């Protein structure tokens, strides 16, 4: 979606451009950060045969070595660029029990949005990460995500969510 902000035309991505109902998972056993990333890598490769699970896993682990993608408050947004990825692809996972993700606040993680983007999509990657960070920085949204117990209900909640920072306000008309 394109939004005209004064003299600037901005590209605004909606979360349903990235996830689908079959890529929202509730109640996954976590175990560890590595196990979650490994599960996702196999899961996404099964759903998208053009992606190689080994490449996805290696790139996610390499990105985590640069610094944790645990953004705090029990949320992580692991992300990386992938060579055979044609467009941004995401999966949202709500873990059954929290796992250590080396988050910036030290809290373990139970809400994970994993994002893959094409290698050449640098600007799209940054805009998408910013949108996700704004969405998950909302305390009420995190509470509602944690209270939702089915894949369809979780997808519905995510698909109707608009990050508060993206809504018009007195400071940002």
């Amino acid at each position: 979606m394109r939004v005209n902000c004064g003299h600037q035309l901005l590209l605004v991505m909606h979360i349903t451009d990235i996830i689908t109902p079959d890529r929202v998972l509730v109640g996954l056993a976590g175990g560890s950060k590595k196990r979650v990333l490994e599960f996702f890598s196999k899961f996404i490769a099964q759903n998208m045969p053009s992606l190689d699970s080994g490449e996805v896993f290696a790139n996610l682990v390499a990105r985590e070595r640069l610094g944790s993608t645990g953004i705090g408050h029990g949320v992580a947004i692991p992300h990386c660029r992938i060579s055979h990825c044609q467009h941004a692809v995401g999966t949202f996972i709500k873990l059954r029990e929290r796992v250590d993700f080396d988050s910036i606040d030290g809290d373990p993680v139970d809400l994970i949005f994993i994002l893959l983007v094409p290698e050449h999509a640098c600007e799209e990657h940054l805009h998408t990460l910013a949108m996700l960070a704004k969405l998950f920085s909302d305390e009420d949204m995190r509470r509602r995500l944690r209270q939702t117990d089915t894949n369809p209900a979780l997808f519905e909640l995510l698909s109707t969510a608009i990050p508060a920072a993206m809504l018009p306000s007195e400071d940002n008309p």
Side-chain angles (χ1 to χ4, degrees):
M1 166 178 26
R2 294 187 186 276
V3 177
N4 192 355
C5 294
H7 299 291
Q8 214 174 10
L9 194 63
L10 299 174
L11 179 65
V12 177
M13 180 174 286
H14 191 272
I15 201 161
T16 56
D17 294 332
I18 307 168
I19 62 169
T20 59
D22 60 330
R23 290 198 312 263
V24 173
L25 305 170
V26 173
L28 188 71
S32 68
K33 179 188 342 188
K34 181 181 176 187
R35 189 169 293 175
V36 169
L37 297 178
E38 196 169 40
F39 168 84
F40 167 77
S41 300
K42 291 175 183 173
F43 173 78
I44 200 66
Q46 288 174 350
N47 285 281
M48 300 184 75
S50 64
L51 299 178
D52 175 69
S53 65
E55 178 189 11
V56 171
F57 181 68
N59 288 5
L60 286 169
V61 169
R63 170 56 191 87
E64 286 298 319
R65 284 190 189 123
L66 296 175
S68 176
T69 56
I71 64 170
H73 304 287
V75 178
I77 309 175
H79 56 278
C80 66
R81 294 188 182 101
I82 297 292
S83 62
H84 294 97
C85 191
Q86 301 303 314
H87 54 83
V89 175
T91 295
F92 182 78
I93 299 171
K94 179 182 161 191
L95 297 176
R96 193 169 37 229
E97 62 274 335
R98 291 176 173 227
V99 298
D100 181 23
F101 227 84
D102 301 316
S103 297
I104 59 172
D105 62 1
D107 288 347
V109 164
D110 62 339
L111 303 175
I112 303 172
F113 194 102
I114 303 174
L115 176 67
L116 306 178
V117 296
E119 279 185 322
H120 63 278
C122 297
E123 191 171 327
E124 176 188 4
H125 189 170
L126 295 175
H127 285 288
T128 304
L129 284 174
M131 184 260 310
L132 292 170
K134 288 175 185 174
L135 177 67
F136 295 120
S137 69
D138 183 292
E139 183 178 350
D140 184 57
M141 174 54 71
R142 292 190 310 269
R143 180 189 52 75
R144 293 186 312 164
L145 289 167
R146 288 185 173 111
Q147 292 174 344
T148 304
D149 291 328
T150 68
N151 295 350
L154 200 57
F155 178 77
E156 177 67 21
L157 178 59
L158 287 167
S159 67
T160 58
I162 300 173
M166 296 178 93
L167 294 173
S169 69
E170 291 179 16
D171 298 335
N172 186 21

